[in-house]
Amino acid sequence: MDYYGKRLQKTSDLQSNACVAPAEPTPPFIRQALKKVHPEVTARYYGCGLVVPECLEGCRILDLGSGSGRDCYMLSQLVGEKGHVTGIDMTEGQLAVAMAYVDHHMREFAYKTPNVSFVQGYIEALSEAGLEKNSFDIIISNCVVNLSPDKKKVLSEAYSVLKDGGELYFSDVYSNERLTEEIKNHKVLWGECLGGALWWKDLLQFAEEVGFSPPRLVTANVITVDNQELQDALGNFKFVSATYRLFKVPKGNTKPCQVIYNGTITGMEENFKFDCRYTFKVNEVVEVDAEVSSILTNSRFAADFTFQPPGGPCGPIGVKPKAGIVDPFELALQQEKQGPGSDTGGCCRTQDATCCK
């Protein structure tokens, strides 16, 4: 895509910051990993958030739209030498930057064998790019799905290459209604991650049709466009940056249960925020709904929880979670009302737009 391969040469070239990564707050162990990424790789990064799921040791991860490879090299350190990270991108210029620094990072991480690789291809055609079905534990994507003209196909391909129990964990931009063709065809709005934004309700429908479990909303934050020309073109449409997690797990035959978090996930020893509804504190009994029960028992998180009682009916006592939220605009508004100190993940600003993450 010319916008990302030729027009954009560095992050500061962006006209809005819907696609600019926030600088903070970030867990210390992730900050350390990011510091080891080569400056040139970081400078050519255009993501809209820091997409780092939990429990990564030894996992095989696929990064959709990996760009310059910043997230891949950061994740390379978190999965360890026994894990592997694959980045796929369609832009030759971005891939050239990523590939140029493989040896540098492997020396920096003291890995004998490279655990990062890059593939040129389209996120709507993962199999055609040579990626095997049922081969990845986790897929991440950072402000990229909105650039695809066939988002349902992206989800379908992701589902295909995920292992059973695997997860699609991704941050992207969503609209409050289906966008008009005029906005979709606006080249700058498209390149700035707004013109291709999916109506959030369509995500729920596409995920169900493809086979994923219902999307779990993790974070959502308002995108405010300050560039008057772009705002005039957008009219009354509103946008949020949101992170969802979708799992490839069996459906049905799972009942609500009680679980105890063991505190064994790196960087999450005291508590583990699974989504906007469930935050698990170590050694605390929590009631979970049938969907989360299925996810925890069939995914990489199974070893990090004690299910009470094992193989039998749930006990009578447990912490009840707060009501679930599926509308990202509702969650974003809730977090705005909470003001400073709420779980917004920091803000980044430019003269054109403000994207709070």
Side-chain angles (χ1 to χ4, degrees), residues 279-312:
T279 295
F280 300 103
K281 295 182 180 180
V282 66
N283 297 327
E284 183 176 75
V285 181
V286 179
E287 291 185 7
V288 297
D289 60 33
E291 290 174 8
V292 173
S293 176
S294 177
I295 290 169
L296 295 181
T297 55
N298 291 286
S299 70
R300 67 187 186 282
F301 297 119
D304 300 300
F305 285 84
T306 299
F307 299 87
Q308 183 179 355

